[in-house]
Amino acid sequence: MPEVIFNGPAGRLEGRYQAAKEKNAPIAIVLHPHPRFGGTMNNQIVYQLFYMFVERGFTTLRFNFRGIGRSQGEFDHGTGELSDAASALDWVQSLHPDSKQTWVAGYSFGSWIGMQLLMRRPEIEGFLSIAPQPNSYDFSFLAPCPSSGLIIHGGRDKVAPPREVQGLVDKLKAQKGIVITQKTMDEANHFFTDRTDELIGECADYLDRRLAGELSDPRPKRLR
């Protein structure tokens, strides 16, 4: 798993990158929690999501948003971090021009950034949104949500209360042309304390089913 440095909008960004063996393998990027609250690319959930994609033959990247680790710049309340994510995806795609499919996974703050990236990049085929916070961040940009994906959260999440997440899920499920899969882990909190393995298992099961052609609209996705 090579350490990589690539150019971002506010300077260099630090990441961890694993190329797949197949030239046309799908791409996945994994986005970490809030930089002001200890979020980094080495968060355990982000780390395990990274390897979940690698084990399934994806070319995979996780990276530190600006101002974290060796990534240059300063926290920018989401605007700059979205630009960081777009630059990260550009960088991977420049190395793998034959890839025809892209996924984005984000945890907490990272899920908000990931869903915004989804709106900007029509080549993103699927998403994993872990513990999104519609009570803290505006998700109204998902109008409509362009891709099918998984929203997974904890039933005991006090940071993102389940009723707030349910409101977001209900809104997205009303849209046509996509399939939103929801999973509530009843005993889990926002940090999935003592339940990280269960969380990764749920995400892996969803991804496996999607790769098998399930849980998404059968119509072809538009390409970039």
Side-chain angles (χ1 to χ4, degrees):
M1 177 189 57
E3 299 182 14
V4 292
I5 298 289
F6 54 93
N7 290 327
R12 294 187 301 274
L13 293 172
E14 172 192 18
R16 300 292 183 271
Y17 159 76
Q18 184 67 57
K21 293 180 180 178
E22 300 295 331
K23 286 182 63 177
N24 63 345
I27 290 168
I29 66 169
V30 186
L31 306 176
H32 70 70
H34 202 295
R36 287 278 177 88
F37 299 102
T40 79
M41 67 175 174
N42 294 322
N43 171 275
Q44 188 61 30
I45 289 172
V46 171
Y47 178 89
Q48 291 198 38
L49 286 169
F50 177 93
Y51 279 103
M52 180 193 76
F53 281 109
V54 168
E55 289 168 359
R56 284 157 178 79
F58 281 70
T59 287
T60 312
L61 173 71
R62 69 185 200 270
F63 70 96
N64 279 328
F65 288 125
R66 57 184 62 198
I68 299 298
R70 292 194 290 160
S71 291
Q72 295 177 322
E74 297 180 354
F75 178 66
D76 193 33
H77 305 281
T79 302
E81 287 74 17
L82 175 56
S83 295
D84 293 344
S87 292
L89 184 52
D90 286 342
W91 180 79
V92 181
Q93 288 176 335
S94 72
L95 297 177
H96 300 273
D98 294 327
S99 178
K100 296 295 189 291
Q101 190 181 89
T102 301
W103 279 66
V104 61
Y107 168 36
S108 193
F109 173 85
S111 72
W112 181 53
I113 300 299
M115 297 297 274
Q116 291 179 79
L117 187 65
L118 188 72
M119 293 297 295
R120 286 188 171 198
R121 305 299 283 263
E123 71 272 21
I124 295 178
E125 186 77 20
F127 68 86
L128 304 177
S129 185
I130 298 164
Q133 296 171 253
N135 55 315
S136 299
Y137 305 118
D138 182 6
F139 281 82
S140 62
F141 55 83
L142 292 168
C145 180
S147 300
S148 299
L150 171 69
I151 295 177
I152 184 166
H153 59 113
R156 295 189 176 182
D157 190 333
K158 295 181 180 179
V159 178
R163 66 181 180 276
E164 302 285 348
V165 179
Q166 188 64 54
L168 173 63
V169 170
D170 291 345
K171 177 182 175 183
L172 297 182
K173 280 189 171 182
Q175 298 176 9
K176 296 180 180 180
I178 61 166
V179 178
I180 300 298
T181 301
Q182 178 189 19
K183 177 68 178 182
T184 305
M185 292 174 52
D186 291 334
E187 301 301 315
N189 60 22
H190 189 70
F191 308 100
F192 297 90
T193 305
D194 298 326
R195 285 181 159 75
T196 300
D197 289 346
E198 180 184 352
L199 168 67
I200 300 302
E202 293 286 356
C203 291
D205 178 69
Y206 175 81
L207 182 57
D208 288 342
R209 293 181 68 183
R210 280 292 302 275
L211 295 174
E214 303 175 36
L215 303 176
S216 66
D217 190 270
R219 290 174 293 182
K221 188 85 167 75
R222 64 192 187 282
L223 297 177
R224 58 188 169 94

